[in-house]
Amino acid sequence: MVTLALYGHPFSSYTWKALIPLYASGTAFEFREVAPDHPQNYDFVQAVHPQGKFPVLLDGERVVFEATSIIEHLALHHPISPPLIPADPTAAAQVRMLDRVFDNYVMNVMQIVVDEYLRDATNPDAARCQKARERLTRSYGWLEDWLEDYPLDDRITLVECAAAPSLFYAEWVQPIATDFPRLKAWRAHLLSLPPVKRCVDDARPYRHLFPLWAPESD
Ligand SMILES: N[C@@H](CCC(=O)N[C@@H](CS)C(=O)NCC(=O)O)C(=O)O
């Protein structure tokens, strides 16, 4: 009997954030796509989430939403090694801080531009888009410095779960300039990690949903 189910969509960045640790752990789970041809999944998400958003994890009877909280739940109840969140409280606080950086200053800023193009692809608010792109570039600069001391290995922690989807889509909105070589290399490294690659490949059939340019190289 399946006790673990993830509600989401293969093209959704926050769904990837929850899928990456599930794939990394090899934990058995059922993916329940939130799409018009699966109205029961849509209805479930609408019923349990305060804003009807996904991903939503169902673990037995327990409902967990917010991608970060799903990762916190997986770290406690379906642990992997190395852990998704370090055992050392000081290291854990740093990892959680980086998670906020990726959600608040990369993913959600990228989404401002995407939302403008979804609203009207022929007439997006140019000033709003420009400001969001400048904010992304500022975040890239901060991350470039931060990466000076961050190891480029095969670890998957809360940091990688947050970074991979946000940097994947941010590049499509504001390409990472050559001034940020560490960030460019890290994004490529993240996309090569098997759980991330699986998300990228599973999302390919949905690229037509993206309202801006998407590079073939990805
Ligand atoms: N802070 C939320 C963000 C969730 C979110 O924005 N999900 C998007 C998909 S990436 C969504 O549900 N969009 C559909 C909607 O808003 O109706 C999280 O971390 O889970």
Side-chain angles (χ1 to χ4, degrees):
M1 192 182 98
V2 174
T3 61
L4 205 60
L6 186 77
Y7 292 78
H9 190 278
F11 198 60
S12 136
S13 51
Y14 279 109
T15 300
W16 288 19
K17 187 172 161 181
L19 279 172
I20 291 166
L22 283 165
Y23 289 153
S25 68
T27 307
F29 73 100
E30 189 176 298
F31 186 68
R32 297 186 180 158
E33 188 171 327
V34 178
D37 48 341
H38 300 286
Q40 71 282 17
N41 296 344
Y42 174 84
D43 291 346
F44 179 81
V45 167
Q46 294 306 314
V48 300
H49 189 286
Q51 295 283 310
K53 288 182 182 289
F54 43 84
V56 173
L57 184 80
L58 183 61
D59 190 351
E61 298 289 305
R62 188 180 298 277
V63 169
V64 189
F65 50 78
E66 288 298 305
T68 300
S69 303
I70 291 172
I71 294 170
E72 296 269 4
H73 177 90
L74 294 173
L76 285 173
H77 299 286
H78 306 274
I80 57 171
S81 180
L84 292 166
I85 299 170
D88 172 67
T90 304
Q94 288 290 304
V95 162
R96 291 187 172 102
M97 181 179 79
L98 261 296
D99 174 63
R100 296 298 78 223
V101 170
F102 287 109
D103 274 20
N104 291 330
Y105 308 128
V106 182
M107 195 100 99
N108 295 348
V109 180
M110 169 273 292
Q111 194 64 41
I112 292 170
V113 180
V114 172
D115 286 346
E116 268 305 315
Y117 277 78
L118 287 174
R119 185 186 59 75
D120 184 352
T122 60
N123 189 27
D125 183 326
R128 199 166 151 74
C129 290
Q130 177 62 20
K131 188 151 191 278
R133 289 189 162 105
E134 285 167 7
R135 289 180 63 200
L136 280 177
T137 301
R138 179 170 175 167
S139 296
Y140 295 166
W142 187 91
L143 288 166
E144 181 70 13
D145 293 342
W146 169 76
L147 279 168
E148 193 171 358
D149 298 316
Y150 193 75
L152 198 144
D153 58 22
D154 287 350
R155 74 183 62 193
I156 293 202
T157 71
L158 175 59
V159 171
E160 283 71 25
C161 298
S166 58
L167 291 173
F168 179 78
Y169 286 113
E171 166 79 9
W172 292 11
V173 163
Q174 177 66 4
I176 300 169
T178 47
D179 321 19
F180 307 123
R182 283 190 285 261
L183 187 59
K184 264 187 120 53
W186 192 50
R187 180 181 183 274
H189 164 73
L190 289 170
L191 298 191
S192 76
L193 297 171
V196 179
K197 192 171 178 327
R198 188 166 167 189
C199 289
V200 173
D201 288 340
D202 289 350
R204 274 183 209 287
Y206 302 93
R207 286 194 177 191
H208 62 278
L209 297 175
F210 195 73
L212 292 97
W213 165 85
E216 273 310 309
S217 53
D218 278 344

